Amino acid sequence: MAEAVRFVCSECPAEIEAWSDGNPYYIDEAGRKQYAYHPDHERLARCIGNDSPHLCLACGEEFNVDSEAPIGQCPKCTSTDISETWELAGRRCPHCKGGILAVDPDFRCVS
Ligand SMILES: [Zn+2]
Ligand SMILES: [Zn+2]
């Protein structure tokens, strides 16, 4: 089961949504990466990797990190100050650089 949360900034209107299990993928017959979405369990069973959404804490860029070819820095600004979007609670907001990100208690979504 996948769960989503939304992080909101204490100082600015920034909000970032995150899913607990990222974007599992498999490689199809043509060698292309295909994402398996819930609730497609047959496809999920074929998955060989996971693109997990990350946020750059320096510039605010959101990008995926492939579990099969992980990167340790932001593809936009090359900062190594990155975090999984799922783990943003308590991190400094990259948009206003002043606020702290916290889970929005009014937002809860399960698929
Ligand atoms: Zn960046
Ligand atoms: Zn902010």
Side-chain angles (χ1 to χ4, degrees), residues 9 12 93 96:
C9 174
C12 78
C93 171
C96 66

Side-chain angles (χ1 to χ4, degrees), residues 7-91:
F7 295 100
V8 289
C9 174
S10 60
E11 300 291 332
C12 78
E15 42 184 55
I16 298 138
E17 287 174 22
W19 285 89
S20 62
D21 57 356
N23 303 292
Y25 68 81
Y26 62 92
I27 305 297
D28 71 10
E29 292 74 13
R32 283 188 304 252
K33 190 186 278 191
Q34 301 281 352
Y35 292 110
Y37 292 104
H38 293 276
D40 196 337
H41 293 289
E42 195 175 312
R43 287 186 178 189
L44 279 175
R46 295 169 61 191
C47 287
I48 54 140
N50 193 343
D51 277 356
S52 51
H54 280 61
L55 180 76
C56 174
L57 297 172
C59 76
E61 177 81 353
E62 290 184 55
F63 55 96
N64 285 318
V65 174
D66 188 336
S67 64
E68 297 302 293
I71 55 171
Q73 61 184 38
C74 171
K76 190 175 172 190
C77 75
T78 71
S79 168
T80 54
D81 197 9
I82 62 175
S83 171
E84 272 192 63
T85 51
W86 183 248
E87 318 227 307
L88 284 173
R91 308 303 292 262

